[in-house]
Amino acid sequence: MRRQNSTCDPETGAHAVGEHSGGTREPSDVLTTWQPQSRRVRRHRGTADMTPSRRGSAQLRSLALGTLFPGFEGRSEPPAWLRRMAAEGLGGVVLFGRNIDPEHGDAGVARLAAALHDAGPDLVIAVDEEGGDVTRLDVAHGSSLPGNAALGALDDPSATEQVAAELGSRLRACGIDLNFAPVADVDAHPDNPVIGVRSFGFDPELVARHVAAFVAGQQSQGVAATAKHFPGHGATSEDSHLTEPVLDAALEVIRQRELPPFQAAIKADVGVIMTAHIRVPALDPDAPATLSAPAITGLLRDELGFDGVVMTDGLDMHAISRTVGHAEAAVQALLAGVDALCIGGDTVGPEPLERIVDTMVDAVRSGRLPERRLAEAAFRVRSLRRRLRAVTPAPLARGAAANAAVRAVTTSGDVALPDAPVVIELQDRPSIAAGAVPWGVGRQLAERLDGTVVVPVNESGPDARHALTAHPGRPVVVAVRGVRRQPWQADVVRAVRAARPEAIVVDHGTGTPPEVLGERYVLAHGAARITAEAAADLLASRLRPPAR
């Protein structure tokens, strides 16, 4: 991709392109392919500016709104308060599963997006559509995309790029401008409760090459990608939705393990990098990365050279909302060098947003938050949507996701079923990031093989052996998910195998110990519907030959 030299003036929002541009133009007038924010954007360096603001209250309010990305309730029309804020300059919105009407599918999303863009032409519409375990568009049925763990196991960057391009095309058709993907975290801690299969894998270089491929593929369709969660959430053992995790590693280890995927994303011209609400003592012992100038301005901006949009993870998450609080976090994040403030899934009304805006405006009035820093942040967000509008999507070959899923799902031993099975599905508690989404090979087998019995089992019961007794002679499939975080699942597999040694394990997670997998197993590498379908096709192959 070619990069044009440009400068912007955060004071006025003017954008000049090239050394001989002949005047000031909007980015959409001159850009014909995806263009990240130029690295010649002049960044404010101070932490205080006692010069009184030259802007009126309405202008400062518009700048403050321009950094915010709230959620909202509604599937067909944006609420009145959101329309009003969009007209005043709101930066963007985030769509969640609650905004997706399963009866109308993507067409319903497109109508909603059109109404949002009608209310605010520069409004950036974002969604968290990672594929695999985390989906919003497919929340009713499970993801139609193989997840990162599956793509990493396949380790074909060209396939990852094609899958991401297919996703980008779908998102653009829905009217979505920004996707909070790919996850750039390295799956470095076996007890991590929130990353796991969302990562491309354990090897930083493997993760880096797939992050770069994903960014290139998605952005080729005119939908901005987001590398997350900087500087890396994969080596933590806690979930920032619930608390403030700590990445307790030496800076040299962080450089070698956590940073390569983000460096690859930057090299691939990623549009957005999302921060992690984690404390990294080697960078800043006093503040989480989202609120840390050493992490954002020092490491991400100055050392790694990223000058695109930096966005927070959801401020509703407990690492922020139950510590410094939304409004104070907004000011601290902007001071740290962040541009866009993702509010999160819980805040769905105007009152909390008004408090955040008032706090930011007061911080500018008092001189605590430099006006130029706020203007710079709002400009970056506003220009993102304008650049996206100018992109002409690259040619696309359909079917990449289905092909990658078939190739990624692998087996060991003879897994072809001789008869309709009993499927014991061990229910993992879904992470807050993923939410409750249908998963599992059982439903797919029931659609393929009449007489299939599916028995959900939780840690509290029922006893899986009762299902074996109730259906003697039936082949047995045990579907596991998250074994490394849910040791009770290993106990159930051992009990089932003691009674039925021929049982087949289908692993919807990653990093499952060999003694749990046994000799006959299927690796689905995540809980996406499309990889469960591929696994079911393999299991049913003897009884239901593939269509020709």
Side-chain angles (χ1 to χ4, degrees):
M1 291 182 221
R2 70 186 163 82
R3 181 192 298 273
Q4 286 184 296
N5 292 334
S6 67
T7 60
C8 75
D9 184 356
E11 292 288 345
T12 65
H15 193 283
V17 179
E19 297 298 327
H20 305 287
S21 63
T24 299
R25 305 178 185 177
E26 296 289 0
S28 57
D29 294 333
V30 295
L31 302 180
T32 57
T33 58
W34 163 255
Q35 295 289 326
Q37 183 69 42
S38 166
R39 293 181 183 176
R40 292 180 61 191
V41 173
R42 297 191 296 273
R43 297 201 301 270
H44 180 85
R45 291 290 177 180
T47 58
D49 182 359
M50 299 308 293
T51 305
S53 172
R54 292 175 291 173
R55 300 181 192 267
S57 296
Q59 290 176 303
L60 286 178
R61 174 180 170 80
S62 180
L63 290 178
L65 282 168
T67 67
L68 299 184
F69 281 69
F72 63 96
E73 300 276 4
R75 292 178 170 181
S76 58
E77 289 290 332
W81 67 264
L82 185 54
R83 287 182 175 275
R84 184 182 70 252
M85 286 187 173
E88 291 182 282
L90 185 68
V93 295
V94 183
L95 301 183
F96 290 86
R98 62 172 174 260
N99 303 117
I100 312 302
D101 185 344
E103 292 186 7
H104 296 95
D106 289 3
V109 178
R111 287 193 292 271
L112 177 59
L116 288 164
H117 282 146
D118 182 63
D122 289 333
L123 195 72
V124 177
I125 301 176
V127 72
D128 199 349
E129 191 65 37
E130 297 175 13
D133 288 38
V134 178
T135 179
R136 304 297 182 244
L137 297 183
D138 295 328
V139 67
H141 306 291
S143 179
S144 58
L145 296 174
N148 287 354
L151 294 171
L154 181 58
D155 197 15
D156 179 353
S158 65
T160 296
E161 183 171 350
Q162 291 165 13
V163 169
E166 196 166 76
L167 170 60
S169 177
R170 180 185 181 189
L171 294 173
R172 184 169 176 122
C174 287
I176 292 168
D177 307 300
L178 169 63
N179 186 22
F180 296 156
V183 170
D185 303 310
V186 177
D187 187 17
H189 198 301
D191 295 328
N192 189 297
V194 70
I195 302 301
V197 295
R198 299 169 66 198
S199 169
F200 287 108
F202 305 93
D203 175 25
E205 295 307 319
L206 180 148
V207 175
R209 59 180 172 264
H210 286 276
V211 164
F214 196 105
V215 169
Q218 183 179 284
Q219 293 189 166
S220 74
Q221 303 302 306
V223 177
T226 306
K228 62 185 185 183
H229 309 81
F230 184 84
H233 204 326
T236 64
S237 61
E238 295 178 299
D239 184 352
S240 52
H241 290 87
L242 303 173
T243 188
E244 183 183 84
V246 176
L247 175 56
D248 193 9
L251 188 56
E252 187 56 35
V253 171
I254 293 171
R255 292 186 195 283
Q256 293 177 1
R257 184 181 62 196
E258 271 72 31
L259 295 188
F262 292 100
Q263 292 170 304
I266 293 168
K267 188 175 181 180
D269 288 338
V270 70
V272 179
I273 290 181
M274 179 176 282
T275 66
H277 303 326
I278 62 172
R279 193 176 298 271
V280 188
L283 288 172
D284 188 338
D286 300 320
T290 296
L291 312 181
S292 169
I296 306 305
T297 298
L299 180 58
L300 181 56
R301 295 285 196 204
D302 293 342
E303 183 175 332
L304 301 186
F306 181 65
D307 210 8
V309 174
V310 178
M311 174 177 277
T312 70
D313 207 344
L315 298 183
D316 278 342
M317 296 163 66
H318 293 179
I320 296 295
S321 63
R322 297 194 179 182
T323 55
V324 296
H326 295 77
E328 175 60 20
V331 173
Q332 290 187 26
L334 288 166
L335 286 168
V338 167
D339 305 302
L341 305 167
C342 176
I343 308 304
D346 297 333
T347 299
V348 294
E351 293 81 7
L353 301 182
E354 293 290 359
R355 289 193 291 271
I356 294 171
V357 168
D358 289 346
T359 300
M360 285 194 283
V361 170
D362 288 346
V364 172
R365 294 291 191 202
S366 70
R368 181 187 176 203
L369 175 62
E371 182 182 325
R372 284 183 61 85
R373 173 77 273 273
L374 179 60
E376 174 191 66
F379 174 83
R380 278 203 183 95
V381 173
R382 184 172 68 249
S383 61
L384 180 65
R385 162 77 174 147
R386 296 179 181 181
R387 292 198 305 281
L388 291 167
R389 281 201 300 255
V391 175
T392 300
L396 181 70
R398 300 289 176 179
N403 182 57
V406 169
R407 293 172 59 202
V409 175
T410 56
T411 66
S412 175
D414 182 7
V415 299
L417 294 167
D419 196 0
V422 175
V423 183
I424 299 171
E425 286 190 340
L426 306 187
Q427 303 292 310
D428 181 24
R429 294 187 297 272
S431 71
I432 296 175
V437 177
W439 72 279
V441 74
R443 178 169 51 119
Q444 307 305 329
L445 278 173
E447 292 177 359
R448 287 158 176 78
L449 300 178
D450 289 340
T452 295
V453 176
V454 182
V455 182
V457 174
N458 297 293
E459 185 173 8
S460 59
D463 190 326
R465 290 170 294 189
H466 294 165
L468 306 183
T469 303
H471 302 280
R474 287 285 195 94
V476 177
V477 174
V478 185
V480 301
R481 183 185 184 192
V483 172
R484 68 190 201 184
R485 293 179 288 103
Q486 306 288 340
W488 68 269
Q489 295 191 11
D491 296 336
V492 173
V493 172
R494 280 191 290 270
V496 169
R497 192 171 281 138
R500 301 292 296 275
E502 77 283 3
I504 298 169
V505 170
V506 177
D507 184 13
H508 293 277
T510 186
T512 300
E515 61 270 20
V516 175
L517 294 174
E519 296 180 358
R520 303 172 69 200
Y521 59 84
V522 181
L523 300 180
H525 306 290
R529 169 174 50 84
I530 198 166
T531 49
E533 290 172 346
D537 285 340
L538 290 169
L539 291 163
S541 60
R542 184 174 296 161
L543 301 171
R544 185 176 180 269
R548 295 184 181 276

